[in-house]
Amino acid sequence: MAQISAAAAMVEAEAAERARDLGDAGELAAAVARAELAVARTGAAAEEIGRKMERAHALHAEADLARARGDADAPARAAAAAAAWDALERPYLAARSRRRQAEAFAAAGEREAAAAAAARALAAAEELGSEWLAGEIAGFIARARLPQVNPVAASGNGAGGPDPARGTAAAPAKVDDPFGLTPRERQVLAAVAEGATNREIAAQLFMAEKTASVHVSRILAKLGVRSRTEAAAVAHRLALTEPR
């Protein structure tokens, strides 16, 4: 029961993030409410059974709820879940938690801490041979333009941050745009993020509607997304439409 409820909390956290990206306050509130219910069920199961595994699932669910709400303690919640999975020798689940910890740090503007947590998560995923998880983490590092961190140095403390005694984060790599968007594509993406149609984009940017359609298709391919809605969410989250 704890595992199923924790999975439900994760699903609702992702729904809440999508709603937040799209500015859908109603869906955001609904997703948070559903996540809260899932966390309550996970906690009840953990308390009833009392095993470390169920408690780890409860901590994982609590971290997802913090992610859904956008709470300031989301990184600490994710770190607690990662530590619980470490204690149970579940490296894959620990890596997933550190990925979420990195995302929470990045959302809070704590880039060095985000880079350290992401480096640990990526190193674990690669060691496990999980190509999917490693790809997800590597993609996040690129999208968020995080500085490169030695994963050995990054593992210096339980919170996933760099340990001064073992090394610090390297200087950020000078990558203006990890997706390779051209200035014109950035203009088109900005219009897409505002909900403009191809015809509206063409009028705004003085181009043919067919040209606007080609630009949009290229942008979707570069961002690795399948829809204009997903492209808008990525653009808002990573500030890709800001002038450089």
Side-chain angles (χ1 to χ4, degrees):
M1 182 63 179
Q3 183 175 1
I4 294 173
S5 297
M10 179 184 67
V11 170
E12 298 305 339
E14 292 174 354
E17 285 188 327
R18 285 195 300 271
R20 184 178 293 110
D21 287 336
L22 298 174
D24 190 338
E27 175 55 27
L28 173 59
V32 169
R34 293 192 297 266
E36 289 173 342
L37 179 59
V39 168
R41 289 173 175 169
T42 307
E47 184 175 348
E48 179 180 353
I49 299 174
R51 294 187 306 188
K52 291 182 179 179
M53 181 65 72
E54 279 67 28
R55 181 54 185 160
H57 280 301
L59 289 171
H60 201 118
E62 289 168 4
D64 278 325
L65 177 57
R67 177 161 63 100
R69 290 172 171 167
D71 291 342
D73 68 345
R77 295 280 188 180
W85 292 125
D86 281 338
L88 289 169
E89 298 183 350
R90 297 293 192 276
Y92 179 80
L93 293 173
R96 281 178 49 187
S97 292
R98 289 195 172 91
R99 169 198 174 189
R100 297 305 185 187
Q101 181 190 20
E103 292 172 346
F105 273 133
E110 299 184 40
R111 293 171 50 76
E112 296 292 333
R120 290 190 69 185
L122 180 59
E126 290 176 340
E127 183 176 353
L128 291 168
S130 176
E131 295 182 3
W132 176 84
L133 182 57
E136 289 290 303
I137 298 167
F140 160 70
I141 292 171
R143 291 192 301 272
R145 302 187 291 278
L146 296 180
Q148 298 297 311
V149 175
N150 183 336
V152 175
S155 64
N157 60 49
D163 183 350
R166 300 183 64 181
T168 57
K174 293 186 177 180
V175 180
D176 289 338
D177 185 347
F179 299 103
L181 296 175
T182 66
R184 194 59 160 171
E185 286 169 344
R186 282 183 169 277
Q187 292 177 330
V188 173
L189 180 56
V192 169
E194 292 174 356
T197 64
N198 287 347
R199 178 172 297 180
E200 291 169 337
I201 293 171
Q204 291 174 21
L205 300 179
F206 305 101
M207 63 176 66
E209 184 175 347
K210 184 175 180 180
T211 301
S213 176
V214 171
H215 277 306
V216 171
S217 296
R218 288 176 177 171
I219 290 167
L220 297 184
K222 287 184 176 183
L223 297 184
V225 298
R226 293 174 293 180
S227 70
R228 301 166 78 101
T229 299
E230 290 179 350
V234 172
H236 285 304
R237 185 176 299 177
L238 300 180
L240 294 180
T241 58
E242 292 182 356
R244 291 186 176 277

